[in-house]
Structures are given as structure tokens and as C-alpha cells.
Amino acid sequence: MPVMRFDYAGTGDSGDIDEGSDQVLLWQRNIAAAVAELQRRTGVARVCLLGLRLGALLAARAVAHCPQVDGLIAIAPVVQGRRYLRELRTARLAAQPVEAQRDPESALPTGALQSQGAVLSAASVASLSEMDLLGSPLPVLDRWLIIDRTDLPNAAPLQARLEACGAQTRYRALPGFVEMALTAPHLGALPEAMLAEVCRWLESEPGARDSADTRPLVQDAAAVMQIEEPGFGARPLTERAVYLQNDPALFGILSVPAPGEARSRAVILLNSAADHHVGPSRLYVSLARRWARHGYVVLRMDLAGLGDSGTRAGHAPNEVFPREAIEDIRAAIDYLRANHASREITIGGLCSGAYHALQAGIAALPVQRILMINPRTYVWREGMKIDDVQLWEVAQFPSIYRGRILSAGYWARLLRGQVRIGRVLSIYCHRTWLAIEPRLRDAARSLHIHLSDDVGWELERMAARGVRVVLVFARGDGGDELLRLLAHASLQRLGARCRVHVIDGSDHGFSRAGPREQLVKVLSDELFARVDG
């Protein structure tokens, strides 16, 4: 069965939209456009929509404009828009400290809502608050598959209403939603039971495999998008989907300056954890388009096993710290040099992307600058696991547990057995060693003895080769404390050759508007500065 995945306007890889637009109305039109495009390309007569959470609600509303649609798969659907908005507001308050909630720089237009780095306009909030699948006319569809979550099921009333209206409906409550959608990307897991149920339901449709006609598929010459933005003149920048190599297939989105702009400078942005190439809360899209406007070729790539890239033989998908990532980066550099004559190359990323950028510098790949955003790991050894005690936790240990030791709530959780005592003790032991180890490494460096996994030594070696190193941290995230413990003396010697910035009031992914604007400015200033300055 031909399948189309697409990004709504203003999300993912799609173009930006006016901040005051009614996104809810626009996204319903996007769904209708996707249905028409799928039919144009494949010749199918009938189409089924699949939506997750808000996507399911939007799909149900878009059906009125899509007579080709005869089935809908709703996974953990949002049934009532007003209730969904309450969930977003609650999640936003729970995720931010009190001082961040009071930050005047994070103020939004009246009526707008920001959650997890995405902003719903006031018009969108108003439209969404009126959407209710239980209290408004339902779309006329032949078949529905409703897959509810087992932890907080809420879609059974929708099934009852659909059946009362005569719709053919299948309802299943299945596990896997929390592991898929409410877990950190690097620890997430595919909801296998949900996927299997979707496949069974699709294949049970009579003639499901004969839905396409015999016309050849429409093949466009290239996936290219022209992006125009106010304030940048009449010449649009270009974005295109590219494959950097075939085995494994490495995918990326390339942002290219308008014709006539300087093209010898390039930037490669690497995945943050298991997020795909748009970056956390679409950060990489914003950076790429901004920098392309200033003459840079910017590649947002997926490392093997992540996003739209293929998985390397013998590896599992969503592997965040593979040693072979260095070869993927090398392939990206070769691609930019061969196809865009890029001579000055910068590599950057957030979290694990920052780690891989550092490793590229350590491996002496031909790069002139690395931009590291909130790295929490500087050393990753074979056999380590992401859920092991991490050194950034150890570095944070004093500030975290100094507050918790005075918390009655923490002691209550301890007495109820809700605190992992073994992990706390392990962190305590690691902290004792971490306080001693840097002094030993400083002594070894002074004697010109190179110890393995010496971050300070490697930073000094990179600087000696002319590589400019820039690190940007959200205050309190842990990576800056760890860096000072591991490489304090080296940082002092490096001075301006290794620049460190700390931004207040942000979370790990820089999802809030104020701190994100500061991050973009810091990174842009550092990128535009001369490498030998």
C-alpha cells in the first residue's frame, strides 16, 4: 500500500507560516492536499487516514473535505479540544520552574499557548476549544479503527457514539503509547501491538491490496522546496532532500543559499538523541534557514539508524552513541566537498549530537569549527548503556541532593520505596572519584603524559590544529559542571580558543522562546566570526 507521511505547515520540514494563523484550519487543509497528492502520484481511488493524538482529531474534521477517504485510524485520539488544551497547559506548568513561568521574555500574544517548544496561536486555541467529537456532527465514514492507550483510555465514548450512528468501528486498548510518546527519544520504543493491529485492520479491507491502478507512479525530478521569507529580499533559498550514500542509506535535508551567495562555507547538524533531522522543537530548521540566508550550505542529517536513514547491518534502530557515527559524518563532509565545494565546515548538535561533533574533532576530520549545545557526555565507552549512571548526573549530585535532603516529600518517597537507593549510592561513589580524577589528569598533562579519554587533552589538541570549539549550556543542565570537572585546567589554558556560554532559564532542548532566541544569537555570532579570530 502506498503511504504518504507529511509535515503540517509550520512544523517539521515544511515552510513557516504567519504566527497569527489559525493552524487548526490550515492543517485540515494540509490533510486534504496530502490526500490529493497521494492520489496524483499513485492513482489510488480510496484513501485511509491515520492520525495520532491531535492528528486523529484533525483527520476526523478534515474528512468532510475529502470524499476519497473511506477509513480512519485514530491512535490515542484527542476527542475534545478543550480537554486537550487543559492537558497542554498542565504539562507546560509541570515542566517549567516557577521562575521560568514568571519570565516576562517568554510572554506570548494574548490567547496563544506554548507547549514542548510549539506555539498554538490564539486563533488556533479558539478553534481547537470548539472541536468535540462527542458533541458535534461526526464525519460519515465506512470504517474506523480506534486504538486507545491502556494507561489513560478516553476513546471508548467515541466508539459508542460512532456505533450508534451506524459506523463500522473496531476499538482496541493496547499498550505502548507511553513508551512511544511520553518517553525520552533515546529510550523510546515502537508500539509493536499497535502497529500489528493497524496492519491487520488495513489488510482486512476487501481489495485493500488492489487499491492502486496500473498507471506508472508519478516521479518528480527532485524533492525541492523554495522558501521565501520577509526581510530577505526577493531571492528564495532552496531546500532539498538528499541521500549522502547508499550503504547504509544516509538521509538529510540540505538548505542552500540563493544563487550568487557564497557557498564555500557549510554546516552539518547532527541528531539530538533519537530525534530526527528537524532537531528538538524544530531548532535545527530555524538554524539552517537562518544560516542559509547568510550564505552557508546547511545539512541537517540523520545518522544511520535514526530518522529517515537506513540502519547499519548488525545494529538496532535508534542507537544514539554508535562508534560508526564518525563514518557517517565523514560521508557528509565528503558529500559537501564534492557537491558544493565546501572548504570551511562546521559540525554541531545538541546533546548526543554535540558528543558526535566532539568525536569528529578528536578524529581530526577536516572541520574548522564545532558547535556543542548542552553536551552531557564527553566519553562513551563500549558496553555503556543510556540508563547507566551518567557522569553529568554525578557532576550535578551536590546541587540536586543538597535540596532534596531538606525536602519532606523526598523523604516520604524514600520511605515508600519510590527512590532508587542503589542509583543514589552509585552516584555518590562516582562523585568521590570524579573529585579526584581531574587532579590526576592535570598532573599527567603537566608531565606530557596522555591518558585515555582525557577531554582536556583532546580540546587542546584540536585547538592546536586550528579548530574553534564553542560550547553553549543551559544553566543547571549538568554538562557545564562536568566539563569544568574534567577539563578545568585545559579550559584556562585554551582561553578564547574554546569559548563557553551559559544561558539562564532554559530546559535541555531550549524549547522556550526567550532562551532559544539567545541560543540562536550566540551560535550565529560564533559561526559568523572568523575561525582564526
Side-chain angles (χ1 to χ4, degrees):
M1 300 178 193
V3 179
M4 173 176 284
R5 296 176 287 123
F6 73 97
D7 293 329
Y8 296 123
T11 75
D13 291 303
S14 291
D16 295 323
I17 58 176
D18 184 88
E19 294 180 355
S21 301
D22 185 342
Q23 295 145 296
V24 172
L25 177 61
L26 180 58
W27 292 343
Q28 292 175 64
R29 293 173 179 167
N30 294 162
I31 294 171
V35 170
E37 183 68 7
L38 178 62
Q39 289 191 303
R40 183 185 78 85
R41 288 176 176 268
T42 67
V44 296
R46 297 177 298 128
V47 175
C48 173
L49 299 179
L50 185 152
L52 168 71
R53 297 292 288 148
L54 179 59
L57 176 59
L58 295 172
R61 293 297 295 266
V63 164
H65 308 287
C66 305
Q68 314 94 318
V69 174
D70 65 356
L72 195 155
I73 302 169
I75 300 178
V78 170
V79 176
Q80 297 172 304
R82 194 176 300 274
R83 177 177 176 180
Y84 178 64
L85 290 170
R86 286 200 303 269
E87 293 176 8
L88 292 182
R89 292 187 178 102
T90 301
R92 178 175 178 270
L93 291 172
Q96 294 181 356
V98 173
E99 59 270 20
Q101 297 169 26
R102 296 173 178 170
D103 181 4
E105 293 184 358
S106 66
L108 297 171
T110 302
L113 172 64
Q114 181 178 17
S115 180
Q116 300 296 315
V119 177
L120 286 173
S121 67
S124 306
V125 170
S127 292
L128 192 53
S129 65
E130 299 299 321
M131 297 175 70
D132 185 353
L133 294 182
L134 300 181
S136 59
L138 288 169
V140 179
L141 279 179
D142 292 337
R143 304 174 75 231
W144 287 72
L145 171 62
I146 300 173
I147 299 181
D148 214 346
R149 48 195 291 188
T150 53
D151 59 317
L152 291 173
N154 75 330
L158 175 61
Q159 180 214 12
R161 183 151 191 259
L162 286 168
E163 291 186 341
C165 295
Q168 181 183 344
T169 308
R170 178 172 175 78
Y171 172 89
R172 295 291 306 278
L174 297 172
F177 177 82
V178 171
E179 292 78 7
M180 169 183 62
L182 302 180
T183 303
H186 56 282
L187 297 176
L190 289 173
E192 298 294 349
M194 292 183 177
L195 290 172
E197 181 63 26
V198 168
C199 291
R200 282 193 297 267
W201 185 84
L202 285 170
E203 292 177 350
S204 69
E205 169 69 7
R209 294 185 178 275
D210 303 321
S211 58
D213 65 17
T214 56
R215 290 182 296 169
L217 301 185
V218 175
Q219 298 289 344
D220 291 343
V224 177
M225 181 167 65
Q226 302 293 325
I227 299 176
E228 299 182 11
E229 295 179 12
F232 286 99
R235 296 187 299 176
L237 63 89
T238 299
E239 287 193 337
R240 62 170 58 91
V242 296
Y243 278 97
L244 312 176
Q245 67 176 34
N246 294 324
D247 187 21
L250 294 180
F251 179 83
I253 299 291
L254 199 67
S255 300
V256 181
E261 297 284 350
R263 294 170 182 255
S264 63
R265 300 166 296 176
V267 182
I268 301 171
L269 294 175
L270 306 174
N271 303 89
S272 168
D275 284 330
H276 70 313
H277 52 265
V278 303
S281 304
R282 210 169 174 240
L283 172 64
Y284 291 0
V285 178
S286 300
L287 291 174
R289 292 175 182 173
R290 178 186 179 96
W291 293 342
R293 292 292 182 191
H294 287 83
Y296 288 78
V297 174
V298 185
L299 173 65
R300 299 181 279 115
M301 71 173 294
D302 288 327
L303 298 172
L306 301 175
D308 285 296
S309 289
T311 301
R312 186 172 271 104
H315 288 254
N318 289 340
E319 190 175 351
V320 175
F321 291 104
R323 286 185 177 275
E324 293 80 0
I326 200 74
E327 299 306 319
D328 300 342
I329 299 171
R330 193 188 308 274
I333 293 173
D334 291 344
Y335 175 90
L336 290 172
R337 285 182 150 189
N339 293 277
H340 295 276
S342 300
R343 296 189 300 274
E344 179 187 309
I345 295 180
T346 297
I347 299 182
L350 186 145
C351 194
S352 63
Y355 167 83
H356 290 304
L358 174 64
Q359 296 308 305
I362 292 174
L365 295 190
V367 300
Q368 283 66 50
R369 183 189 288 104
I370 60 174
L371 303 176
M372 303 170 64
I373 311 167
N374 267 346
R376 286 178 166 178
T377 301
Y378 301 95
V379 176
W380 191 266
R381 300 184 182 92
E382 196 73 32
M384 290 178 66
K385 298 178 181 178
I386 289 179
D387 57 353
D388 291 343
V389 170
Q390 302 297 325
L391 286 181
W392 67 268
E393 296 179 89
V394 178
Q396 278 189 315
F397 179 84
S399 58
I400 291 176
Y401 287 94
R402 189 181 301 118
R404 290 181 180 177
I405 202 71
L406 301 175
S407 167
Y410 182 76
W411 281 100
R413 290 174 52 222
L414 178 66
L415 295 174
R416 289 196 299 266
Q418 297 175 338
V419 175
R420 298 168 64 182
I421 294 295
R423 190 177 188 88
V424 174
L425 293 175
S426 178
I427 290 175
Y428 182 83
C429 294
H430 277 82
R431 176 69 194 191
T432 302
W433 171 245
L434 191 58
I436 300 171
E437 183 185 18
R439 294 180 174 84
L440 298 178
R441 290 190 178 276
D442 284 343
R445 289 185 207 118
S446 65
L447 297 173
H448 302 287
I449 299 173
H450 180 202
L451 302 178
S452 63
D453 299 328
D454 189 335
V455 177
W457 176 286
E458 298 295 356
L459 289 174
E460 292 188 48
R461 288 182 62 211
M462 281 190 287
R465 294 197 304 271
V467 178
R468 188 184 186 96
V469 180
V470 178
L471 297 106
V472 186
F473 297 98
R475 190 177 301 280
D477 192 64
D480 52 340
E481 292 93 338
L482 179 58
L483 179 66
R484 282 193 292 269
L485 284 169
L486 294 178
H488 177 70
S490 292
L491 292 176
Q492 289 184 321
R493 284 191 291 271
L494 288 169
R497 293 178 295 169
C498 180
R499 297 172 61 83
V500 179
H501 303 267
V502 180
I503 296 176
D504 292 318
S506 181
D507 54 15
H508 181 63
F510 283 89
S511 66
R512 294 179 55 247
R516 172 173 289 215
E517 290 173 4
Q518 295 180 53
L519 171 69
V520 171
K521 183 180 186 308
V522 167
L523 292 175
S524 299
D525 289 347
E526 291 286 1
L527 179 65
F528 302 156
R530 291 179 57 86
V531 173
D532 57 353

